[in-house]
Structures are given as structure tokens and as C-alpha cells.
Amino acid sequence: MMVWNGGPETLAPLLHSRVRWVQIGSAGIENWLASGIIDDSRTWMCGTAIYSEPVAEHAMALILAGRRRLAECARATGWDPTLVGLPLHGCVVLIVGAGGIGTALIRMLAPFGATSVAVTRSAREVANATRSASADALTELWGEADIVVLAAPATSASHRIVNARTLAAMREHVLLVNVARGALVDTDALVDALRHDRVGGAALDATDPEPLPAGHPLWTDPRVLITPHTANPVALRTELLARRVTENVQAIVGGRTPASIIEPARGY
Amino acid sequence: MMVWNGGPETLAPLLHSRVRWVQIGSAGIENWLASGIIDDSRTWMCGTAIYSEPVAEHAMALILAGRRRLAECARATGWDPTLVGLPLHGCVVLIVGAGGIGTALIRMLAPFGATSVAVTRSAREVANATRSASADALTELWGEADIVVLAAPATSASHRIVNARTLAAMREHVLLVNVARGALVDTDALVDALRHDRVGGAALDATDPEPLPAGHPLWTDPRVLITPHTANPVALRTELLARRVTENVQAIVGGRTPASIIEPARGY
């Protein structure tokens, strides 16, 4: 078994034909699939759900910052009593992609008295969610959310799932939170929706393009907070990957199926 | 019974001698006690614990923003990948004043895997806290906290409880969060500690003086986030006060003791 915490380009020349198992550190693997290195000659395992807790924690930080208008407070250089936020309590939080991150997020949301609607491709019952739904139901669900959290892998199905049409279906005060990949959002459509006050705000840990260029209107919109793809802080990454490697080696040695085997056909 | 959501000066000329019960909306009552209007001729009830949930929610927003460096991200006008935060997971959170706000905060902290140390005057066991301690134990506890949250009433005992001496006892990376009253912090000592990198940062919903004047160094320190005393958003205030009035009227009519009777001797 080989453990690799870099990208596909640097691994290719090093990959011996007799390596049967490869554990990569990344959770999102769209660039691995695009590189063509992932084939059926061995078993590939990715970092899905390894980093769920820190990423869900970052989503909570962005949700609360958005509701409480903390970006505007941070930019203020004097006392402005009009910078009054709104509570998270009582909000409907639509979680698009309720895998590891979404499941952890639902647990963190519970004590705040928020309603969580968990959307998965399979519409399976997500633990502790107020309601579970399929991606097909999104057409109806966009309009029910106070907060939309994107936590789905970047696939062809999720590509620009937030676009002009779906933004138009959302409530005017909606807060959009992206802790997944920039490709899930049509950035120009988001800028346009903000310009016309058709959304309340956005808190984005991932953008398209990434990095977002200096001078882009999202940098200075008072309703927008951008973090530089830091939902999963370095401080925890190695420790969490090591834990997964240990578990997967034990599974393989014990004849069990390791976690997060990549299935190229579904895209994650 | 009279319900009053203003200050003591405007109530005084309206207060009929036969009013036996007065419910005021404020949770912090130091200015009511100072005004001298509160006496033994009737029962006074304040807003303690009415607004615990929204204020605890704001404390969570400030804690997560501080750990995740959201104020610096909000001020950035370009992509800066060095703005990497730290997780809340695994932190020791010292809660000074574990009344209604502290108790709600402990519940919200639980799913994040943080350790909560609850300090009260009486050292009573606080529900769900990892550890409960008395104010006397603070001498030792300052140095154990990654995050210090001030949630105590403003009394002579809590006045400037965060000062040059106690700041010096804290860890260098400590995040100070104040959702109580500005008087609990010696502002000049905090500025000095920040200047010498002896604390990690501060997130303050209350300041001394309040409002903090334009040009004050706390406005522009990258490690500091200030919200303008908005922990308890207007959106919920009236609804929550109305709920308490209902409960207290039912208690009085039913011959029970209403909640949050003011005891001038203890200061809250």
C-alpha cells in the first residue's frame, strides 16, 4: 500500500506496478479522475470524510458569520449600531450533499434550533436531519432555505448547481455557504444576484476561479466573506489522514473493505 | 404588574405606588441598581436568562470567527493562502459566569469536541460542563484556556476581571471573547497585551468605553473583531421578553415565585 499526500502528476512516475493499494490524502478527487491515473489495476482510496469534522466546523463559522454580519463588523473602523445580525435559531438550512461533512454539520446545528434538510443523490435517511430529500427535490427546496450549504463533491451532476436559475428560486435573504468546490457555483450568476439584491449574502471557502483574482467584485461586497480554501486547517490534516491510513491498513490486513474506495464511474 | 422595556429614568415618573411587580426587559441591570429606583417596596424582575440562547449563539459566532481568522479574511481584498485558522475541536473553553448564557453555550460547544470549564461564584455543578469551578479557581484556570468567554454580570466582583495581571496569566494564543459587559475588561491592559503578542486575539460584543471611539487601536488590530453590542438581535428580543412575561404572570397568579427576581445585595 502506498500513501500519497501530493497530486497525481508527481505520483505517476513513482507508482510501481506491484502497488495494489493507494491511499491519497485529498478528499475532492476531480483532478485525479481527470489525470487518468486512476484505473482498475489497483484499489484507490481517497480522503473523503477524513476531514469532515474540521470542514463542518468551518461551515458553522461561515454560517454564523453570515447571519451575524461579522464580515461587515470586521471591516468597520468605528461603532455602527446598525450592524445588527439575525439569529441562526429557527433557520432552515439546506445541505446539498449530506456525506461526511453534511452529517457532522447536522450534529453541530442541532443545539442552535435550526432545521436541517439533507439532500443526497440517493435520498437516504440522513442521521439527525430534520428531513432527508433527493437531489430531484431541490427544485422545490431552494425556495424553503434561509441558508444553503454546498458540501457535495464536484461531479458533472453538481457542476454549477448554483446558477442563475437556482439562485432565482432561492429566498431573497438566503445565505449561500460553499465549503465544497468552486465549480458548484456559477460565480457570474452569484455576482449578478448580489447586484440585484436577489440573495442575502455568501460565505465561500472555495471559488471559481480559484484563487479569485484581485479586483473581483466579490472581494469588496459587504455581504460576502471569502476564506482561502482553509476549511480544513493544516493543523489537523496529517493527524486525520494518519488515522484513516491506520484504519484502512487494519481493514486490508483483516480482509475487510477499506473506507472511501474511489469509484471512477460515479465521480467520487 | 408593570412591564418596562426602557431605562430607569423614564420609568421613575410613571411608577404608581400600588404597582407590586415590575418586569424590566434588560438582562444586565447595573444601571438600574445605580439609579436607586429598585427598593423593597415591590418585587423587581429582570431579563436574566431570557436572551441566553441568542447571546450564546453570538458567542459561538465570535469563538469560531476568532479561531478561523474570519476578521482577517473579511478585510482581505485578495487571495491570501496564509490566512489559515485553527480548529475549535480540542480547545479548552473557560466560561466566566456560567448562568443562562454559559449553560446554553456549553450545549452548543459539545458537538465541536471542545472542553468547557464553567466558572460560577458558587462553584455549583453546571449541566454538561466538562468541569465546574469557583471564581477562586480562576487564578489557576486562566493559564489552561485556549478561549476565555466572559458571560458574567457586571458587578464589583467581575469589574475588570480581565486586567494586566490576569492577561499575563493566560496562554499566548488565548482568544478573549466578551458577550457580557465592557466593564469586565481593562481595555488598556488588553491593548497592551495585544501589542506585546501576549494574547492571540479578542472578539468583543461589549467594550469599555462603549461605544469605542473612532481611531481606537482595537478597531484596526487584525486579531480583533468588534460587534456593536448586538449579541441579542432585535429580531428575537420582544418575542423572548413576551414569553418571560407570560411565564411570570402565570407564576404570580399561581402563587409561585417568578423568575429572575432582582436581589440588589448580590448585584443581579
Side-chain angles (χ1 to χ4, degrees), chain B residues 37 43 51 67 80 85 90 94 112 139 143 169 180 186 193 201 205 226 230 235 261:
Chain B
I37 195 173
T43 301
Y51 316 112
R67 290 294 288 179
D80 179 357
L94 178 63
F112 290 87
T139 316
D186 180 337
D205 186 55
I226 296 168
T230 51
I261 292 178

Side-chain angles (χ1 to χ4, degrees), chain A residues 44-118:
Chain A
W44 295 79
M45 297 157 288
C46 68
T48 296
I50 297 184
Y51 317 112
S52 298
E53 296 279 331
V55 175
E57 192 188 301
H58 199 76
M60 284 299 299
L62 295 181
I63 289 170
L64 287 164
R67 290 294 287 180
R68 295 283 176 161
R69 300 177 68 178
L70 297 191
E72 285 165 277
C73 291
R75 290 164 186 160
T77 54
W79 195 266
D80 179 358
T82 69
L83 290 179
V84 181
L86 289 166
L88 168 56
H89 182 94
C91 280
V92 175
V93 185
L94 178 63
I95 300 163
V96 180
I101 297 165
T103 306
L105 180 60
I106 288 163
R107 240 176 351 92
M108 292 172 183
L109 281 167
F112 290 87
T115 297
S116 50
V117 182

Side-chain angles (χ1 to χ4, degrees), chain B residues 166-193:
Chain B
T166 55
L167 284 164
M170 294 181 199
R171 302 178 72 176
E172 277 193 356
H173 66 263
V174 74
L175 170 67
L176 175 67
V177 174
N178 190 358
V179 289
R181 289 288 195 245
L184 273 67
V185 177
D186 180 337
T187 304
D188 290 344
L190 174 61
V191 169
D192 194 59

